[in-house]
Amino acid sequence: MARQNHNIPETETNSSSALVPILVDPIAMIDEELPTPVEAPIVSSYNDQIRPLLDAIDKLRLLKVMQEGIQLPTIVVVGDQSSGKSSVLESLAGISLPRGQGICTRVPLIMRLQHHSDPLPEFHLEFMGGTVQISEAHISDAINQVTDDIAGSHKGISHTPLTLVVKKNGVPDLTMVDLPGITRVPVHGQPDDIYEQISAIIMEYIRPEESIILNVLSATVDFPTCESIRMSQRVDKTGLRTLAVVTKADKAPEGLLDKVMADDVNIGLGYVCVRNRIGDESYDEARKEEAHLFETHPLLSKIDKSMVGIPVLAKKLVQIQASIIGKCLPEIDKKINDKQAANISELNKMPKNLTSVPEAMSALMQIIGSSVESLRKVLLRGEFEEYPDDKHMHCTARLAEMLNQCAQELQKSSENNYTDNFLMKEIKVLEETRGIGLPNFLPRTAFLMLLQKKVNEISASPVQFLSDIWDYIETVVIAVLMRHSEHYPQLKSSTKRAAQNLIAKRKEMSVDRVVEIIEMEKITDYTCDPEYMTLWGKLMANNNVFLDVMNNNWKSPQITFDGFGDVEVGHLRFFPNIRDQAFDIKMRITAYWKIVLKRLVDCMALHLLFSVKSLVNRDMEMEIVNELMGPHGGGLEQLLEEAPSIVVRREILNKRLKLLKDSKEVVAKVMDIIAINAD
Ligand code: GDP
Ligand code: MG
């Protein structure tokens, strides 16, 4: 029997098969007379070489590496409803799958075909961790039943896959996933969003670059209108990983040749036209009919033999599958390594399981020590490398901001009453403090009364400011403590309480302090700052203009004073005896008030920094230890019990590592085989 090369067009896969040196030339294996001895579409020696690759992938699938975000090379069968997906799979496997009106594939069906030498076929279903053996006659029923178990007995669909293993003499070694057919219109009893649900499943399977899309198209439809074509084009724009199978060639032979040659829909891996089993035909009969059809039909026989028939499809798929697996393995190996490294590093970062009180003590001291160090950085030194992007934690900057704002507000609050009813407040106070004595002595009590009034007006805002500052510091301290006791959740409530107690105490002290400062300002008018005299002198320079306007009634009562702006003074013409004293006292208080405000802000700033420093450097450690050992603290012993969340996390990580290690072994073995075959 002479072997003859059919002219299969050079596809992407053909050219890349060099990646998989174990492959024999697939083209040479398409036997001229293949369609006649139907029972063995694939030469079994070929299977032997692909088997280890497929086994490796199947094993990885069983190990659930997909859960680790590692994609496996997969042939995914997509198509519109009733395009013939199940029929194609049946033809490849030579078995009956559920068929019927509307939607019957409602969960992803992973079909694993394995050639075996035993003439008796073997079938089993794997789902949700279990395996059941089934007989050929019951495949359909069993699949339907398990589908009901997974996706409910109504028309719903599910992402949970079901695996059908077919071990049969002569089948190609292939693993494919059959997906629900795409439908726009929900049938009776289906959820309204069935289209979105099905699209989501299909997208999940075809999006990964590692997936080969087997697009099943019915010859009876216009390809560009197929939903499945639109979907695959969305994820595979170039079409390089899409292969088209055109079913029902027998039903619409007219123009089929043109359709596949025109390739309006960008199918990179080529077309294969088939005729599936019809009615009660056996699979043998169906293959004979198919071969006959493409051999003799006046139109269909014109299609190149490398593009027709189930055996051609089987070969193409096996070849593509081997190529994609070979291509993906190094990448999978790398991904497994990366995941392993990430898991190991997370595991190493997890806290040690503490077993004795000294160990617990040292862990506690370490947590406190590192928390205090972090607080020093953010609150005192302005080093933010631990929180580069979290502005809230850039405390030195935030504190300065808050202090500036407070100073500005204080400044503003006194500016408001500079010019309204100019000097009237001063006149009233002077009148009330007048005694029996010479008129040209300024009574000191008048000055103090005015000062007290001004201090009272602003006294609430420094208190509010300090209270806000401590609220802010509390959020920072708690955030830092929570971060450092992350691995010991049992510590969190004690440390949080300690921080809250401490801040509450500090806040109280600050408020006491600032109230004291304010009281001090009220009883004494003193400064050694020469700025006071300078300022007063400057302000008094306005006096000449003032006197001039007061003494000449015809002059405009609008004066622009240095340091005050435009002032209306007409009303003062009625207070000839007292207005000069009032003017003088106003200039004194204005000059002095600047000094008072500066002193207030300076004092608060120094007090605050001092207070924060002693909180961090002195009180924090003591307070946390006291709280932990106190009546509500639960003591050091509680550190010996691992938090359940940590136990669970460690178990998960260990399980993952085991899985990754097993996967790595699987991959290493096949890579070895590939290397040996390459030599
Ligand atoms: P699915 O919904 O895509 O799985 O489509 P099915 O495989 O269930 O097929 C839908 C209908 O098309 C069934 O009645 C099949 O018998 C029929 N069918 C599938 N392939 C062919 C074919 O090549 N020729 C003919 N005449 N009918 C086919
Ligand atoms: Mg189907």
Side-chain angles (χ1 to χ4, degrees), residues 370-416:
S370 54
S371 303
V372 165
E373 185 51 27
S374 290
L375 285 172
R376 267 188 206 127
K377 281 184 185 165
V378 293
L379 279 170
L380 303 174
R381 298 209 292 264
E383 295 167 4
F384 307 130
E385 76 271 8
E386 289 172 22
Y387 302 93
D389 300 317
D390 188 352
K391 288 220 153 121
H392 186 76
M393 301 300 279
H394 300 179
C395 305
T396 44
R398 297 293 84 78
L399 290 176
E401 244 169 45
M402 288 164 93
L403 191 70
N404 277 341
Q405 206 190 339
C406 172
Q408 273 168 14
E409 272 165 23
L410 285 174
Q411 200 67 43
K412 253 192 238 149
S413 71
S414 57
E415 267 165 18
N416 287 342

Side-chain angles (χ1 to χ4, degrees), residues 660-677:
L660 289 166
K661 187 169 158 271
D662 292 351
S663 310
K664 205 172 153 56
E665 272 166 21
V666 172
V667 173
K669 250 184 223 156
V670 268
M671 302 244 291
D672 280 353
I673 297 175
I674 292 177
I676 292 165
N677 280 287

Side-chain angles (χ1 to χ4, degrees), residues 82 84-87 98-99 104-105 178-179 181:
S82 295
K85 293 177 299 300
S86 302
S87 304
R99 262 204 255 174
C104 27
T105 311
D178 187 16
L179 293 177

